[in-house]
Amino acid sequence: MITRTYRFAGKIIEISSVYHYVHQYCEEYAATGTPDFSVITDEEDIDYERKKSRLEDIAFGREMREYSSPYLESLAVYRKIAERMPAYDTVLFHGSVVAVDGEGYLFTAKSGTGKSTHAQLWVDYLGDRAKIINDDKPLIRIDGSTVTAFGTPYNGKHRRGCALCVPLRTICALEQAADNHIERVEKNALYPLLVQQVYRPSDPVMLARTLTLLDCMTEHVSLYRLGCNRDVEAAIVSYQGMKG
Amino acid sequence: MKLNSNFIVHQTDKDTVIVPTASAAFSGVVKGNKTLGSIVKLLQNDVTEETIIAEMKKIFDAPEGMIERDVRNAIGELRKIGAIEE
């Protein structure tokens, strides 16, 4: 077992793994201190991730992908962290968070819609004012009326993100469209998507906590729906529509 | 029958949502109205379809046959996604 500690969303987490890979992956988040909690992975967890990945490939009609055990273990580690985080008022959310002038904008959509592409368009449009905090699976802490998005090492295939946090101003659901347009929406309009995009723990108590946190989060951030193409004009329309 | 323990019922504004845990094979979300909310509330204990229909008739005033049809449809849909334990 290889054991080291890391700071994710303000919590010290002790990770004990079979392989070294996850520690390389999380290196930027290494920290010292008394752990808030520990996660331990073994071959059984790796097998679970392998089976899950194969089932997803079948469900989506994709060619079966083969992943290495060290990589699959890194997924198992984050899954175990996500299972525990609701106890600390924090959820894992599938989306891309961009910070502009100290405020966070979270783009979410089903896989393949273009979240990362749109986040990159913001960087292209806004230059140094925009920074990608996490391009895939940020942690979001909901502390009363304060909603904060945290960077984590699990930031997508392009590894875009940083070890920073930012107060979250908006959540924006992306849809592909020929012409760019944005509208502010009520919670009901996005709720099914938001429930799909938040990590749903296997423990029913933690899932109930997650849904309560999601309700609280939607009360304290603005919600938008964006129809967008892949032109930089999409970033102009969405930024101008959401900046207030 | 009763609601599978891998599904939880959550009330949000006017809607009832049924959400699976990561352990369930179904990964979607079921959104319903007050009627569905009442049905799944009863399904949190072991009940028969007839009991649900009888309890629903106490709550809702509806034309003859409508409650029976709504309950059977709702249970049928929940069965399809594995949300019912027999």
Side-chain angles (χ1 to χ4, degrees), chain A residues 136-151:
Chain A
D136 191 32
K137 294 184 178 76
L139 289 169
I140 311 289
R141 188 169 69 202
I142 303 100
D143 183 10
S145 61
T146 306
V147 181
T148 309
F150 289 83

Side-chain angles (χ1 to χ4, degrees), chain A residues 205-223:
Chain A
V205 174
M206 284 295 156
L207 175 57
R209 178 82 191 133
T210 296
L211 296 175
T212 301
L213 290 168
L214 188 64
D215 286 343
C216 188
M217 179 165 83
T218 56
E219 279 171 25
H220 295 104
V221 299
S222 307
L223 303 174

Side-chain angles (χ1 to χ4, degrees), chain B residues 9-43:
Chain B
V9 181
H10 184 71
Q11 198 67 40
T12 173
D13 300 337
K14 293 175 192 167
D15 294 320
T16 297
V17 286
I18 301 170
V19 184
T21 70
S23 304
F26 178 71
S27 62
V29 176
V30 178
K31 190 173 165 186
N33 55 14
K34 204 174 166 184
T35 309
L36 180 70
S38 301
I39 294 170
V40 291
K41 194 174 172 190
L42 291 163
L43 280 167

Side-chain angles (χ1 to χ4, degrees), chain A residues 177-190:
Chain A
D179 299 316
N180 298 303
H181 56 276
I182 189 163
E183 60 175 336
R184 190 161 177 177
V185 292
E186 296 298 318
K187 174 183 167 183
N188 274 356
L190 295 191

Side-chain angles (χ1 to χ4, degrees), chain A residues 35-170:
Chain A
D36 290 285
F37 64 91
S38 303
V39 297
I40 301 169
T41 46
D42 57 24
E43 292 294 346
E44 199 176 314
D45 298 311
I46 295 167
D47 282 345
Y48 174 83
E49 294 298 331
R50 184 169 284 116
K51 283 175 192 156
K52 190 167 175 55
S53 162
R54 286 175 179 166
L55 286 173
E56 282 172 6
D57 285 341
I58 291 166
F60 288 102
R62 292 188 297 234
E63 194 177 331
M64 200 82 84
R65 297 168 297 179
E66 286 298 330
Y67 296 110
S68 69
S69 292
Y71 171 74
L72 291 168
E73 181 176 51
S74 71
L75 301 185
V77 166
Y78 205 36
R79 185 181 304 284
K80 290 195 168 198
I81 290 170
E83 289 277 340
R84 301 286 298 272
M85 275 300 196
Y88 302 94
D89 299 332
T90 302
V91 297
L92 186 161
F93 202 90
H94 185 206
S96 183
V97 175
V98 181
V100 178
D101 301 335
E103 291 186 309
Y105 299 79
L106 191 160
F107 300 105
T108 192
K110 288 177 185 169
S111 293
T113 304
K115 297 182 289 290
S116 293
T117 301
H118 192 74
Q120 185 56 46
L121 288 175
W122 273 47
V123 174
D124 295 344
Y125 169 51
L126 294 161
D128 290 343
R129 287 173 62 203
K131 190 165 185 62
I132 296 175
I133 300 295
N134 184 295
D135 201 26
D136 191 32
K137 294 184 178 76
L139 289 169
I140 311 289
R141 188 169 69 202
I142 303 100
D143 183 10
S145 61
T146 306
V147 181
T148 309
F150 289 83
T152 80
Y154 294 81
N155 50 20
K157 61 184 174 189
H158 304 299
R159 299 304 314 268
R160 295 193 304 193
C162 56
L164 294 175
C165 64
V166 66
L168 195 63
R169 177 191 177 90
T170 71

Side-chain angles (χ1 to χ4, degrees), chain B residues 37-85:
Chain B
S38 301
I39 294 170
V40 291
K41 194 174 172 190
L42 291 163
L43 280 167
Q44 287 176 338
N45 296 307
D46 201 1
V47 285
T48 63
E49 194 168 292
E50 288 65 35
T51 308
I52 294 174
I53 291 168
E55 290 299 318
M56 294 289 285
K57 282 183 173 175
K58 289 180 195 168
I59 305 169
F60 298 101
D61 186 19
E64 183 65 32
M66 185 182 271
I67 287 179
E68 285 86 345
R69 193 190 61 212
D70 285 353
V71 168
R72 287 197 178 107
N73 285 346
I75 290 171
E77 292 302 313
L78 292 172
R79 248 191 208 114
K80 274 188 206 166
I81 62 168
I84 299 279
E85 271 174 14

